[in-house]
């Protein structure tokens, strides 16, 4: 391998040392050898111990301590003055001043070189030049200098200006000066910047509006092949002669100059840029033209251009190869033998490069990764494209002549989406091209807007603009692993590789290749399950997933595909559980899990390079977590080449002091030992994280763009990770993708069914049904109403409906209208309960829904209008058939109008019958849908229509009482439902897992609510979030305005017609993905600002709505963002902050602008500026998540409510400030000051699948009692929830919502029997909801006593139920008993002494049973 070391070192020196030479391509072997010998001498001097070829010549640029300005992380630390070149000796030559603005810095060295050559060699002109990186224009001082420079400039050049607010800044400066500038050259950018172009008579003033030849050509190209603007420009270059002949000669000359300029720019080398400046200077710059009168014009060189697409290798004798046969002829026969690469067995990595870096010879970061991969014995195929569509080159170069893929993994080093780059993307095309190739696709990211030092110092990590463009968009293509691998050197702007990141990228790429190449029987797979809260009864925790049944399905699939699963029990999930949950050497019923491995502390420290860093938080190993006092314990069990292990917990769940820390602690030694075991002792080829969700992705570190000191990065290290994640939770799945480098596989949550009615509620409905038939009977009608009122009290409905006094009311003495009103309100309430959607049971991976379950899901899909697809909801079409508007019926239903409640029920029943008729056409004898029959294309359907036969669903609606329904109007919704049915019953979950474990490309799919967005289905795909710059959508804004109107109406009614002054809001990541930003839009609507889209449809600015148009005061808000929202939507936090500050600075009457009123008061109180006082957007510190209130309550680790409130204020009190966007700054005083003005706390419920007692998140971030403790009057704020889970959106009080949730889930036999049918996991799910209900008592005090009392009757006082719970999961049942006792002890549940004594006795019995006494 010595020869390879020479070659690798030479590669690096070639890339790094030849920045300003005419050509950095090594043209012959002699030059290569000379370079290699020189570099090897340098290598020998360094005597580096590391094996990385990078270390031969490069030092990690972040090793030195550098002071970072501006708070670190968001403004660029670079300085435009580094790009200023002033002629040293212009003499009497005219000086032409050039100002350029670029997205990235690779043009800096070429432009500097070009200007220096002109200044040294041209007799006709000298050039002064200064360049700006687009992001630098955010800084006020830099922006002022930019203005000054443009005012003095002759020529302005811009390229890739695709960030809206910065495009506006450029336009603001250049547009007024356009006429005085001699030339303006703008290459692919936002349309408004492109319109600034001016070369003589050539302009693009009417771009997008004109009938110009260029515009027509561009439009036609886009229609013909879907190409992007830049692709069109490139094609225009090639067809230039044909276009120019249609133009007048002077215009043709100017157009030709512009196109030649673009060619020179694309060429990128100093020589090309020198020709560009000489050409434009002598033809268009006045002083230069004058000085050249009578002189001969300089004939500029033709552009020296590389082919538009090719294979490039830094040491190839040809600069590039235009087909892969030529490349492999050289590579396999000459290069690989010299480098010691075995061409027969070597894995092959396809690498996608940005052509501009090759043109400008700014390629060191590319060279370093190539050398790292080749140093590990891999082959590489590095390709580039001149445009922003890489799909063509990928299809051309990554297959052999027989159409077989020649690469095992692909790494995209551009950081951009595969098709369309930063401008406009075609994700569908990208995913299809990648699926055809079917290899893992990684998209690594070079730092563009930050220096290494600044990124390293930043807690946020990667710049948010880059996250949006270079992480979010590639994820929609199906990309995985956004690893930062390079950045730029501040002074020269050149790209520099980051040694440890390039090493990691090479390691991970080859591990993914290995999954595709290694024989299945030899592959080792580590299945990781979770235990949260840490307790034996909680092993195998995952949202809505039957974990052990699903593991059984996966083991069966592994065995079928040829993996070695040893003696894994495949007969029942109970046997798998027994082997993992019980240590056979311990006594029976021991709480100890099976110990798979005991790791000595010596071995741990030797194999875990960061172990000593954990001592600051946890002391020396082994500590007392996952430890026997001497060794670290890894829990789990090996079955052949499969290990099923239990991931340790965070470790601080029960420690009140650690829960209070503002920033989360490092993982403990046991956690680190677990991942060390997987990678270095078990030597897993891949890890499968099983279900939503574990702790790995939430460990401390940067938000996005991990460094080598971030704990998720350290823990997962080089292990490929597949992560099974619930399809309805794309936000946390995205955190797993970005922070723990996991490829996600979505799984279905159980289908949502109607909650139904039971016990007294069922009796009530029967009474109401009787009343409907006898309401005109003056004898029996009133008697039934008396029974209805009495039963309503028994069911505790007096908390939800204003019932007459039970002792004094007699319906016989009441009016018929009033009786109808009372019955209507009660009916409305019980119909809300009955029709409430709840997921029943738990999902098993690989088991698609039954026909009945598919009907439940389709009914919910059918109720929504989808105007963007021109689809009316089924209830709307049915209502229209009787001349009613469905929204009007909903309003009457909500107000308890008996006639409308009845009609709403009838419409719902008709819709369900119609959907059932559709599904039954395709249901087989086993009650499942295997194949969906197409009811719209069949010949039989046509014949039936000709004979006047109705479709089955039309007939079902007519039979339900709507005889006038229009079949034609039903067609769009049923065509859509048929498509959705195919998606619902498709099953690729096991297939998706196996595709990843077999090293294949897994198709991407959005995550979210399958009812709102059926594109989430089928599951078993690589889940992604959405393009963050696309929200809030216009539809979300319209829905949010309706919710805000209802919210303010309810609050005015409760407050004598007065508006609230301040509302505390909680924003969630998943909710905003599912609803496309509805709750984000609600915040903006309350403040009175509207989001504005740019010309590419991206939302990144806001404008103030005038008070006259708003028609009400601006409401102040205090926004608490979840840590996940902060990670995914930091640009939207910027949007909110800017909007709120706009409102605060608007000079309006204080009684019409509560934002300004409170900000002025706080500015005075805290002695800060008005803008600082107007910060209203808060979250956790970067890399930390939640208020830990949920953790404390789930584990009982809290002393009193004061501790919970202190945790909330400490952990959530980090302000986002658009004026200092590089960090989350602790602003506890400002947070408290803002919260104490709050009148109302508010959250959104957007999905039937995750409600307020299903997870701890909702109460964890609820500030109701926090506000009460801070307010001067100690008044508890009103607490409200918006429910947009159905088409009939409602705003309820928190206590109403808790009651509704308890009645439909915890206390509902349909729910708890569904859970208990799954056994062990089901008991835990019931207990979790009881514990979360108590959480609402702790944070908001909004849980009625009857909820605990009825739950105690259901689960404790029923001996048969008690025994079932105890048998199925004794640990979870003990937690349930503990929760009841705790609720009573903390004053949340008032009950009889008899109940408490029974619970205490029960606790002792269960404890004895668990301990085996």
């Amino acid at each position: 391998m010595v020869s390879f070391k020479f070659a690798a070192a030479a590669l690096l020196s070639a890339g790094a040392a030849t920045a300003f030479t005419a050509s950095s391509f090594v043209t012959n072997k002699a030059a290569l050898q000379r370079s290699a010998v020189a570099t090897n001498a340098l290598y020998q001097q360094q005597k580096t111990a590391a094996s990385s070829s990078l270390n031969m010549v490069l030092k990690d640029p972040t090793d030195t301590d550098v002071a970072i300005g501006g708070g670190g992380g968001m403004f660029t630390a670079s300085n435009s003055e580094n790009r200023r070149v002033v002629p040293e000796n212009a003499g009497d030559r005219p000086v032409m001043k050039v100002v350029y603005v670029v997205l990235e810095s690779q043009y800096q060295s070429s432009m500097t070189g070009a200007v220096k050559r002109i200044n040294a060699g041209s007799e006709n002109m000298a050039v002064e030049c200064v360049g700006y990186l687009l992001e630098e224009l955010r800084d006020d001082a830099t922006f002022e200098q930019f203005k000054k420079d443009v005012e003095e400039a002759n020529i302005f050049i811009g390229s890739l200006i695709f960030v809206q607010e910065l495009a506006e800044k450029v336009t603001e400066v250049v547009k007024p000066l356009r006429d005085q500038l001699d030339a303006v050259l703008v290459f692919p950018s936002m349309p408004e910047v492109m319109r600034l172009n001016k070369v003589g008579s050539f302009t693009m003033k009417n771009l997008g509006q004109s009938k110009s030849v260029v515009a027509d050509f561009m439009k036609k190209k886009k229609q013909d092949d879907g190409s992007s603007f830049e692709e069109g420009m490139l094609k225009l270059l090639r067809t230039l002669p044909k276009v120019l002949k249609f133009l007048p000669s002077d215009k043709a000359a100017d157009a030709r100059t512009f196109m030649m300029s673009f060619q020179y720019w694309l060429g990128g080398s100093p020589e090309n840029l020198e020709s560009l400046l000489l050409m434009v200077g002598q033809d268009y710059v006045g002083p230069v033209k004058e000085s050249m009168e009578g002189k001969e014009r300089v004939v500029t060189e033709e552009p020296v251009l590389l082919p538009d697409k090719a294979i490039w290798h830094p040491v190839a004798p040809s600069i590039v190869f235009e087909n892969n046969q030529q490349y492999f002829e050289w590579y396999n026969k000459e290069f690989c033998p010299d480098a010691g690469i075995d061409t027969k067995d070597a894995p092959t990595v396809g690498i996608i490069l940005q052509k501009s870096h090759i043109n400008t010879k700014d390629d060191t970061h590319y060279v370093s990764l190539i050398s790292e991969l080749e140093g590990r014995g891999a082959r590489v195929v590095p390709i580039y494209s001149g445009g922003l569509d890489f799909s063509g080159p990928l299809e051309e170069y990554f297959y052999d002549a027989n159409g077989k893929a020649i690469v095992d993994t692909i790494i995209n080093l551009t950081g951009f989406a595969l098709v369309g780059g930063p401008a406009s993307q075609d994700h569908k095309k990208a995913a299809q091209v990648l699926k055809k190739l079917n290899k893992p696709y990684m998209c690594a990211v070079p730092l563009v807007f930050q220096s290494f030092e600044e990124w390293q110092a930043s807690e946020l990590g990667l710049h948010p603009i880059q996250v949006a463009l270079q992480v979010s968009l590639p994820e929609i293509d199906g990309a995985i692993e956004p690893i930062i691998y390079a950045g730029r050197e501040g002074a020269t702007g050149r790209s520099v590789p980051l040694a440890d990141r390039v090493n990691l990228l090479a390691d991970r790429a080859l591990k993914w290749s290995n999954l595709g190449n290694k024989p299945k029987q030899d592959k080792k797979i580590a299945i990781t399950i979770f235990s949260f809260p840490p307790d034996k009864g909680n092993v195998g925790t995952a949202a809505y997933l039957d974990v052990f049944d699903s593991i059984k399905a996966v083991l069966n699939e592994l065995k079928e595909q040829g993996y070695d699963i040893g003696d894994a029990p495949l007969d029942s999930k109970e046997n798998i559980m027994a082997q993992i949950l019980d240590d056979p050497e311990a006594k029976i019923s021991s709480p100890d899990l099976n110990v798979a491995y005991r790791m000595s502390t010596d071995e741990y420290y030797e194999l875990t390079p960061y172990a000593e860093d954990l001592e600051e938080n946890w002391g020396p190993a082994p500590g007392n977590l996952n430890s026997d006092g001497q060794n670290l314990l890894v829990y789990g069990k090996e079955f052949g080449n499969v290990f099923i292990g239990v991931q340790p917990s965070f470790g601080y769940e029960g420690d009140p002091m650690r829960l209070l820390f503002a920033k989360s602690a490092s993982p403990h030694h046991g956690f680190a030992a677990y991942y060390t075991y997987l990678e270095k002792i078990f030597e897993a080829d891949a890890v499968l994280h099983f279900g939503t969700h574990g702790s790995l992705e939430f460990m401390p570190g940067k938000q996005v763009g991990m460094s080598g000191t971030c704990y998720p990065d350290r823990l997962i290290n080089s292990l490929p990770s597949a992560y099974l994640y619930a399809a309805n939770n794309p936000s946390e799945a995205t955190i797993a993708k970005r922070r723990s480098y996991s490829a996600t596989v979505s799984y279905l949550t159980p289908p949502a069914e109607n909650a139904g009615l039971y016990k007294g509620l069922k009796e009530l409905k029967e009474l109401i049904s009787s009343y409907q038939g006898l309401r005109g009977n003056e004898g029996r009608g009133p008697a039934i109403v008396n029974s209805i009122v009495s039963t309503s009290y028994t069911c505790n409905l007096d908390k939800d409906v204003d019932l007459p006094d039970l002792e004094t009311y007699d319906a016989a003495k009441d009016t018929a209208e009033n009786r109808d009103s009372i019955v209507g309100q009660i009916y409305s309430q019980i119909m809300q309960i009955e029709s409430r959607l709840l997921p029943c049971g738990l999902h098993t991976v690989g088991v698609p829904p039954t026909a009945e379950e598919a009907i439940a899901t389709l009914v919910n899909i059918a109720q929504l209008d989808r105007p963007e697809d021109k689809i009316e909801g089924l209830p709307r079409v049915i209502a229209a058939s009787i001349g009613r508007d469905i929204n009007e019926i909903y309003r009457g239903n909500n107000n308890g109008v008996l006639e409308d409640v009845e009609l709403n029920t009838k419409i719902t029943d008709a819709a369900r019958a119609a959907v059932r008729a559709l599904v039954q056409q395709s249901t087989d004898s086993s009650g499942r849908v295997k194949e969906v029959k197409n009811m719209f294309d069949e010949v039989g359907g046509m014949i039936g229509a000709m004979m006047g036969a109705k479709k089955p669903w039309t007939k079902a609606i007519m039979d339900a009482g709507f005889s006038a329904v229009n079949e034609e109007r039903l067609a769009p919704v049923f065509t859509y439902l048929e498509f959705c049915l195919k998606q619902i019953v498709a099953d690729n979950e096991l297939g998706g897992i196996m595709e990843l474990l077999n090293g294949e490309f897994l198709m991407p799919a959005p995550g979210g609510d399958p009812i709102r967005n059926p594109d989430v289905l089928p599951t078993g795909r690589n889940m992604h979030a959405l393009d963050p710059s696309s929200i809030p959508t216009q539809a979300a804004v319209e829905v949010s305005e309706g919710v805000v109107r209802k919210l303010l109406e309810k609050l005015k009614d409760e407050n004598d017609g007065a508006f609230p002054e301040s509302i505390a809001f909680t924003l969630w990541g998943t909710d905003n993905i599912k609803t496309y930003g509805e709750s984000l839009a609600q915040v903006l609507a309350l403040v009175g600002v509207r989001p504005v889209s740019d010309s590419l449809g991206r939302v990144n600015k806001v404008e103030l709505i005038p008070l006259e148009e708003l028609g009400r005061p601006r409401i102040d808000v205090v926004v608490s963002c979840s840590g996940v929202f902060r990670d995914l939507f930091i640009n939207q936090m910027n949007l909110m902050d800017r909007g709120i500050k706009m409102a605060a600075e608007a000079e309006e009457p204080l009684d019409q602008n509560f934002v300004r009123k409170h900000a002025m008061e706080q500015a005075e109180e805290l002695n800060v500026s008005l803008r600082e006082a107007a910060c209203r957007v808060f979250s956790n510190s970067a890399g930390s998540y939640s208020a830990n209130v949920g953790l404390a309550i789930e584990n009982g680790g809290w002393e009193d409510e004061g501790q919970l409130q202190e945790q909330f204020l400490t952990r959530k009190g980090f302000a986002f400030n658009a004026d200092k966007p590089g960090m989350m700054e602790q602003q506890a005083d400002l947070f408290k000051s803002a919260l104490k003005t709050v009148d109302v706390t508010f959250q959104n419920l957007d999905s039937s699948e995750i409600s307020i007692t299903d997870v701890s998140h909702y109460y964890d971030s609820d500030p109701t009692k926090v506000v009460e403790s801070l307010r001067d009057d100690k008044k508890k704020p009103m607490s409200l929830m918006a429910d947009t889970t159905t088409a009939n959106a409602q705003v309820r009080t928190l206590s109403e919502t808790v009651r509704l949730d308890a009645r439909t889930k915890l206390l509902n036999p349909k729910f708890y029997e569904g859970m208990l049918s799954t056994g062990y996991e089901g008991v835990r799910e019931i207990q979790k909801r009881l514990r979360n209900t108590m959480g609402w008592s702790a944070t908001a005090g909004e849980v009625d006593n009857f909820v605990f009392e009825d739950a105690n009757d259901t689960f404790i006082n029923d001996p048969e139920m008690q025994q079932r719970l105890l048998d199925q999961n004794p640990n979870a049942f003990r937690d349930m008993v503990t929760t009841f006792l705790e609720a009573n002890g903390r004053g949340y549940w008032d009950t009889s002494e008899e109940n408490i004594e029974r619970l205490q006795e029960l606790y002792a019995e269960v404890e004895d049973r668990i301990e085996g006494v």
Side-chain angles (χ1 to χ4, degrees), residues 107 110-111 263-270 272-273 305 356 359-360:
Y107 275 86
S110 287
M111 188 62 104
Q263 284 191 311
Y264 284 129
W265 184 259
L266 288 174
S269 65
N272 279 314
L273 298 186
L305 296 178
S356 59
N359 286 333
T360 57

Side-chain angles (χ1 to χ4, degrees), residues 93-97 124-125 153-155 179-183 198 279-293:
R93 293 177 296 170
V95 177
M96 170 176 86
K97 182 165 181 176
N124 302 318
M125 67 173 90
N154 301 97
I155 297 173
D179 289 344
Q180 80 177 46
L181 284 158
D182 295 308
K198 179 184 93 164
M279 176 184 74
V280 176
Q282 66 186 5
D283 288 348
Y284 297 95
V285 176
V288 178
K289 280 166 71 176
E290 286 166 23
S291 76
M292 290 188 66
E293 280 176 19

Side-chain angles (χ1 to χ4, degrees), residues 349-353 366 369-370 373 380-384 398 407 409-413:
V349 180
I351 305 176
I352 298 171
L353 312 174
Y366 295 164
L369 180 67
I370 289 168
L373 289 165
V380 296
V381 188
I383 66 170
Y384 70 76
F398 287 172
V407 296
T409 302
I410 309 150
I411 309 175
N412 181 346
L413 292 184

Side-chain angles (χ1 to χ4, degrees), residues 58-66 452-453 456 487-489 496-499:
L58 285 180
K59 182 174 181 293
D60 180 343
T62 62
D63 280 351
T64 51
D65 292 325
V66 178
F452 271 139
E453 295 88 351
Q456 194 82 318
R488 50 181 179 69
E489 196 274 310
V496 189
L498 182 55

